[in-house]
Amino acid sequence: MPFSFDALRRRPDLEGPEQAAVDAADRLILDESVSLRDGLAPGELVVIGDAFGALTLGSADAGARGIRVHQDELLGEEALAANAADAGLGDVYRSHPLDADLVRGARVVLLRLPRSLRALADIAGLIARYAAPDVVVVAGGRVKHMSLSMNDVLRERFERVDVTHARQKSRVLIARGPHDGVDPEPEAAEIDGIRIRAFGGAFAGASIDIGTRLLLAHLPEPKDDRAIDLACGTGVVAAALAVRHPFLHVLACDQSAVAVASARETAAANGVADRVEVVRDDVLRTRADASASFVALNPPFHEGAAVNEGLAPRMFADAARVLQPGGELWTVWNSALRYRPALERLVGPTRQVARDRKFTVTVSTKR
């Protein structure tokens, strides 16, 4: 089928408000980069942060080939693959980690601006170090999610940053003249005896958010030698469990590439990398039914900038699938979200273990 923005698939995996597969920021990035992309050799175009494939496939439809792509979310990679297959463009791009090979020798980079300034700093440093000297970065987003600090972050690594006129509540920053590039390095901290490592964009950074802190204060010793840290973020819960219980092997999983990289660094920093396996997974898709007896979860409730209350129930359901009868799901959640009925329905009998002014910790037993 010929490529069409209207044919791009939205993510079907989440409940909640309908998500656009292409928005005004994608269109503006493509429009502002038309002349820059013209005549590029295969492999000279890089796309970072493409949600569903609009930037990648829009560029491919205009003739780009050998496009290198990085998407933090696993489900974003899968959406791009599905959309590329539908358009007959599956062979025009390749997915990469956020590393030197992603941007080495690139002459044009199309970037959806991340909300995290530290994530932007990591990306800018990498491009400035490994891309071609004449690289041009076309970075765009929705105006409501942009700040003047983003210009400052780019100016630390590029000689010139130009700002386009806004269009349909979107804007583009164009950066040229890379200098003083650096590889991303995780932020480091030690809190309550746990060493934390966090690359830019990881939830809570090199800290322990108050919900996770409450969960850690009440997690018991697992009954057997296996546990799962679902939606692991920087891997604080997985590392803490492994440090507390030297017999324990922990599976830490998250669909975010930056979370997985951070969790691996956190496990290594605490000397438990041999007992903490970190995987990038869509919830627990790769885990077998009834294969676990203990799952810890601090579920996200934001999808990008928007609150999406469909995220947590999907995680509850998959945790229930993976738990053995009698297995336990330990969850911390913002009390205002009132997740207990969903936990009772999807997992089993649920009791409150702790509650403070904002968060609730519960344990649900698989029926």
Side-chain angles (χ1 to χ4, degrees):
M1 141 188 342
F3 172 72
S4 167
F5 284 125
D6 293 336
L8 290 180
R9 298 183 190 180
R10 298 172 174 86
R11 280 172 47 174
D13 56 289
L14 303 176
E15 300 174 358
E18 185 175 284
Q19 304 171 54
V22 57
D23 66 16
D26 294 321
R27 295 180 186 274
L28 185 57
I29 291 169
L30 288 170
D31 288 349
E32 291 288 345
S33 65
V34 168
S35 62
L36 297 169
R37 289 183 280 115
D38 186 37
L40 288 179
E44 291 184 337
L45 177 65
V46 170
V47 176
I48 300 175
D50 204 359
F52 298 94
L55 297 178
T56 304
L57 300 180
S59 298
D61 190 56
R65 293 295 181 267
I67 306 169
R68 288 173 278 173
V69 181
H70 173 73
Q71 295 159 283
D72 183 63
E73 291 194 357
L74 176 62
L75 292 174
E77 285 188 10
E78 294 175 350
L80 169 56
N83 287 322
D86 286 348
L89 294 170
D91 61 347
V92 303
Y93 79 95
R94 178 171 294 180
S95 292
H96 286 259
L98 187 65
D99 61 13
D101 288 339
L102 170 69
V103 296
R104 196 184 309 276
R107 295 187 58 223
V108 176
V109 177
L110 307 186
L111 169 65
R112 276 303 298 251
L113 285 163
R115 298 190 73 196
S116 161
L117 293 179
R118 283 206 66 244
L120 180 57
D122 283 355
I123 293 167
L126 195 68
I127 295 170
R129 179 165 187 181
Y130 294 105
D134 64 346
V135 67
V136 182
V137 180
V138 184
R142 305 293 281 168
V143 170
K144 65 182 178 180
H145 299 146
M146 297 174 67
S147 69
L148 290 175
S149 297
M150 291 178 170
N151 304 40
D152 297 333
V153 169
L154 289 173
R155 288 191 181 105
E156 289 179 4
R157 303 297 176 194
F158 295 88
E159 293 176 359
R160 177 177 172 181
V161 178
D162 296 311
V163 183
T164 70
H165 293 294
R167 189 181 80 188
Q168 293 181 291
K169 301 180 181 179
S170 301
R171 193 183 298 278
V172 160
L173 309 178
I174 300 178
R176 295 177 170 88
H179 62 84
D180 300 319
V182 293
D183 286 295
E185 288 289 339
E187 184 182 3
E190 182 170 340
I191 301 173
D192 298 336
I194 299 298
R195 299 180 182 93
I196 306 166
R197 301 293 183 266
F199 289 99
F203 172 70
S207 67
I208 302 179
D209 68 280
I210 56 176
T212 296
R213 190 181 294 273
L214 185 65
L215 178 64
L216 287 172
H218 294 278
L219 282 179
E221 179 177 306
K223 295 176 182 177
D224 62 24
D225 64 351
R226 300 278 168 180
I228 295 174
D229 177 9
L230 174 57
C232 66
T234 59
V236 169
V237 171
L241 284 169
V243 168
R244 291 174 182 177
H245 310 297
F247 65 90
L248 192 64
H249 292 259
V250 185
L251 173 73
C253 58
D254 204 296
Q255 72 138 341
S256 160
V258 74
V260 167
S262 300
R264 286 176 178 152
E265 293 283 343
T266 294
N270 288 279
V272 293
D274 59 330
R275 292 188 291 113
V276 175
E277 178 189 3
V278 185
V279 299
R280 190 173 179 222
D281 200 359
D282 173 20
V283 194
L284 293 169
R285 183 197 298 170
T286 62
R287 303 295 112 180
D289 294 358
S291 60
S293 63
F294 187 99
V295 178
L297 171 63
N298 181 357
F301 57 91
H302 282 90
E303 175 67 7
V307 173
N308 189 328
E309 296 184 19
L311 289 165
R314 182 170 178 266
M315 292 183 171
F316 301 159
D318 214 28
R321 177 187 63 80
V322 169
L323 282 171
Q324 303 160 352
E328 294 180 341
L329 171 63
W330 286 76
T331 311
V332 61
W333 39 277
N334 189 308
S335 302
L337 295 175
R338 303 182 183 278
Y339 283 148
R340 186 163 177 170
L343 287 164
E344 293 269 4
R345 173 172 52 87
L346 295 168
V347 184
T350 299
R351 64 180 175 88
Q352 179 177 303
V353 175
R355 185 179 179 121
D356 62 16
R357 61 184 180 82
K358 190 171 182 179
F359 288 94
T360 299
V361 173
T362 55
V363 56
S364 305
T365 303
K366 174 65 181 296
R367 63 170 59 88

